[in-house]
């Protein structure tokens, strides 16, 4: 009888503890979270170009605008664009009902999440990963209202910068300068051609003009992006750590901290072999085509600051 009583109590406790377990489990089931993914109609801004073309300076200037946020490089957007292009070609994608539309929706949503959520929210979201400039037609299809800023800079200054600052850039072999010029030519040809074909949604910005005529250039950029010019864009350095997020891991961080200056214009002078410079028109014909003086080993960049700079540009340049 006594034993029975104990058993009864044990059974009751067991039931109670079972109920408790169920109750705890119920409490742990989370509400299904609703996640908001921005539409691919967003008027995104992309900043790209060959690394060392002033892409970080450009995005810092835009970040200083109160309604724009670019933030640091995501590093993954150009890689993702490249992966998705190879998935599209594979057989499984063709045999699984994953149509081009399904793929575009998924890819644009994925990239939008990264772009929107890796930094503060803003009216105009922007992304700066230099090599998106090789994917303009894809970006235009994924984000039909997006605009692209293509940074262009003298190849001699770019290659000097990669070598001197030891910036590793895929495709550039720093022990072979000729190969570097050839690679620059291949990439800039692709980028400028795509920019030209983007039907007014891509703006070429020459680094040499941006740093010599900052106000005029920034106003031109604002007009293109359909945003109001803001004086703060001329003083991006004052907003570092506030509007302009800058990581010490970025190779250009130490330079972008400064106000816009002309020093990097000529830093490559006297650094290349004369024989190499004399072959530039063959190694990198786009340099001349883009308006750079390839005759001189110490060219003047005054032309890029001239009032009639845009009047005599050819289709490519
Ligand atoms: P140098 O290495 O020749 O000095 P990116 O950000 O595309 O990699 O470009 C880096 C180049 O932009 C660097 O060239 C750097 O000096 C230049 N740059 C960055 N901030 C600048 C500023 N405030 N004024 C002028 N040039 C700047």
């Amino acid at each position: 009888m006594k034993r029975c009583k104990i058993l009864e109590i044990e059974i009751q406790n067991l039931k109670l503890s079972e109920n408790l377990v169920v109750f705890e489990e119920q409490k742990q089931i989370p509400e299904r979270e609703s996640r908001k993914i921005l539409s691919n109609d967003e008027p995104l801004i992309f900043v790209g170009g060959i690394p060392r073309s002033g892409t970080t300076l450009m995005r810092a200037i835009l970040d200083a605008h109160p309604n724009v946020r670019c933030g640091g490089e995501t590093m993954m957007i150009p890689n993702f664009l490249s992966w998705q292009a190879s998935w599209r070609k594979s057989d499984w994608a063709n045999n699984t009902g994953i149509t081009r539309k399904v793929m575009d929706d998924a890819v644009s949503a994925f990239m939008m999440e990264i772009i929107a959520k890796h930094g503060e929210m803003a009216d105009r979201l922007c992304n700066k990963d230099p090599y998106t400039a090789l994917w303009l037609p894809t970006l235009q299809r994924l984000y039909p209202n997006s605009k692209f800023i293509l940074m262009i800079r003298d190849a001699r200054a770019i290659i000097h910068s990669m070598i001197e600052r030891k910036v590793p850039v895929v495709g550039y072999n720093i022990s072979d300068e000729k190969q570097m010029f050839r690679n620059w030519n291949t990439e800039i040809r692709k980028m400028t051609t795509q920019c030209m074909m983007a039907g007014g949604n891509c703006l070429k910005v020459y680094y040499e003009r941006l740093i010599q005529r900052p106000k005029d250039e920034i106003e031109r950029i604002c007009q293109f992006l359909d945003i109001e010019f803001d004086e703060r864009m001329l003083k991006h350095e004052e907003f570092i750590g506030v509007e302009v997020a800058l990581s010490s891991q970025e190779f250009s961080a130490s330079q972008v901290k400064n106000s816009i200056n002309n020093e990097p214009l000529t830093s490559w002078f006297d650094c290349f072999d004369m024989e190499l410079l004399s072959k530039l028109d063959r190694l990198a014909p786009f340099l001349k085509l883009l308006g750079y003086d390839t005759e001189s080993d110490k060219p003047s960049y005054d032309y890029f600051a001239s009032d009639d700079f845009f009047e005599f540009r050819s289709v490519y340049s």
Side-chain angles (χ1 to χ4, degrees), residues 68-301:
V68 181
R69 192 271 290 157
C70 302
E73 288 181 27
T74 70
M75 312 278 183
M76 70 184 300
I77 299 288
N79 286 332
F80 189 71
L81 283 163
S82 175
W83 293 331
Q84 62 87 35
S86 59
W87 294 338
R88 278 171 201 275
K89 286 187 202 133
S90 63
D91 281 344
W92 66 259
N94 297 329
N95 300 329
T96 50
I98 302 175
T99 61
R100 184 183 169 119
K101 167 95 175 66
V102 173
M103 189 78 175
D104 279 356
D105 285 352
V107 166
S108 59
F110 178 88
M111 296 202 312
M112 182 63 91
E113 284 283 273
I114 301 288
I115 293 169
K117 294 183 181 169
H118 85 119
E120 296 279 310
M121 192 44 81
D123 287 350
R124 288 294 290 274
L125 292 168
C126 157
N127 165 260
K128 189 281 268 192
D129 279 299
Y131 278 123
T132 52
L134 291 172
W135 295 96
L136 244 77
T138 309
L139 289 175
Q140 281 209 291
R141 193 182 68 243
L142 297 178
Y143 306 108
N145 297 326
S146 63
K147 296 219 165 161
F148 204 98
I149 295 176
L150 175 63
M151 292 303 297
I152 295 175
R153 187 184 183 191
D154 190 328
R156 292 163 289 194
I158 289 179
I159 288 164
H160 170 259
S161 174
M162 286 180 191
I163 297 171
E164 272 305 299
R165 296 193 191 273
K166 299 186 175 57
V167 182
V169 181
V170 175
Y172 290 83
N173 175 0
I174 57 164
S175 56
D176 184 351
E177 291 173 356
K178 283 186 188 162
Q179 182 275 340
M180 293 179 90
F181 279 104
R182 280 198 211 98
N183 200 50
W184 173 87
N185 198 70
T186 307
E187 291 186 338
I188 203 72
R189 185 179 56 209
K190 193 166 178 192
M191 289 176 182
T192 49
T193 306
Q194 291 188 354
C195 187
M196 188 180 70
M197 290 163 73
N201 290 321
C202 175
L203 186 76
K204 283 178 285 196
V205 174
Y206 286 80
Y207 170 79
E208 292 81 5
R209 186 167 175 86
L210 176 67
I211 62 173
Q212 293 188 93
R213 300 274 298 255
K215 186 158 192 285
D216 293 334
E217 258 324 74
I218 295 171
E219 279 177 346
R220 189 176 75 96
I221 290 162
C222 285
Q223 203 177 4
F224 165 71
L225 296 176
D226 211 10
I227 56 176
E228 256 183 58
F229 170 76
D230 191 295
E231 288 290 334
R232 280 170 270 196
M233 300 173 91
L234 287 168
K235 295 180 253 169
H236 74 275
E237 71 284 0
E238 290 179 15
F239 302 95
I240 287 175
V242 193
E243 286 278 333
V244 185
L246 199 62
S247 143
S248 55
Q249 282 179 325
E250 291 182 76
F251 278 100
S252 304
S254 62
Q255 304 112 63
V256 173
K257 274 194 245 163
N258 302 319
S259 58
I260 300 174
N261 66 86
N262 289 350
E263 254 175 61
L265 271 187
T266 57
S267 50
W268 64 269
F269 285 8
D270 294 320
C271 294
F272 289 105
D273 201 271
M274 288 303 276
E275 201 222 324
L276 175 83
L277 292 181
S278 70
K279 290 183 180 148
L280 276 190
D281 289 348
R282 261 186 294 140
L283 290 171
F286 254 69
L287 195 53
K288 193 170 185 173
L289 208 61
L290 290 170
Y292 293 94
D293 174 5
T294 53
E295 304 289 308
S296 170
D297 62 328
K298 290 188 177 63
S300 158
Y301 289 104

